[in-house]
Amino acid sequence: MNSSRPYLVRALYEWIVDNDCTPHMLVNSEYPKVQVPQGFASEGQIVLNVAPAAVRNLHMDNEAVSFEARFGGVPHTLYVPISAILGIYARENGQGMVFDLEEALEADDEIEPDDDLPPPGSEPPRPSGRPSLKVVK
């Protein structure tokens, strides 16, 4: 089954814009293939204003979000793989969604079957910890 993350990112973006708020994306700037101005990242993360008035040529698909924006008056082309997006929220009220960190998959790696899987029909293992969310402002 396809990841729900790209669909949620697009839906939340549209919802935030429709409510006259400013969509911001929290991005893992150290994720492979991320292209953002590194001088503006802090502790491996960057918050991007993706409001229609702040970006040009915004394109969102199931693989990545790309657009052009200015940082310190200098134009940059940004490319953010969907898995690098850690959250999307409205600047004005913080409403949105935070996503779990996803590990980068190497395109050349082959997925091998896991011999440690339980036999078909058995009950799946339960997660050991409680889910948690953090407030991003």
Side-chain angles (χ1 to χ4, degrees):
M1 183 173 246
N2 292 337
S3 170
S4 61
R5 186 178 298 207
Y7 301 95
L8 293 169
V9 168
R10 289 191 299 266
L12 287 165
Y13 175 85
E14 187 174 325
W15 174 70
I16 292 167
V17 171
D18 284 352
N19 284 284
D20 296 322
C21 291
T22 309
H24 281 202
M25 269 197 264
L26 177 63
V27 174
N28 176 353
S29 62
E30 296 173 346
Y31 196 87
K33 298 184 182 178
V34 168
Q35 295 175 1
V36 296
Q38 292 299 316
F40 293 88
S42 174
E43 297 180 15
Q45 296 180 346
I46 186 169
V47 176
L48 302 172
N49 176 352
V50 288
V55 301
R56 295 182 61 189
N57 301 324
L58 178 65
H59 179 75
M60 295 183 180
D61 61 24
N62 290 353
E63 304 302 318
V65 174
S66 61
F67 57 93
E68 297 169 11
R70 291 183 171 272
F71 289 81
V74 178
H76 292 272
T77 300
L78 287 82
Y79 180 85
V80 180
I82 290 294
S83 297
I85 298 173
L86 302 174
I88 182 168
Y89 61 94
R91 178 185 67 197
E92 291 79 3
N93 58 20
Q95 290 189 10
M97 185 175 285
V98 177
F99 303 106
D100 289 333
L101 181 63
E102 287 186 10
E103 294 295 321
L105 294 176
E106 294 297 326
D108 298 333
D109 290 348
E110 291 184 26
I111 299 174
E112 297 180 14
D114 190 352
D115 294 332
D116 295 334
L117 290 176
S122 65
E123 198 165 311
R126 302 239 181 228
S128 59
R130 292 181 50 158
S132 64
L133 296 174
K134 67 178 182 177
V135 177
V136 178
K137 292 189 178 190

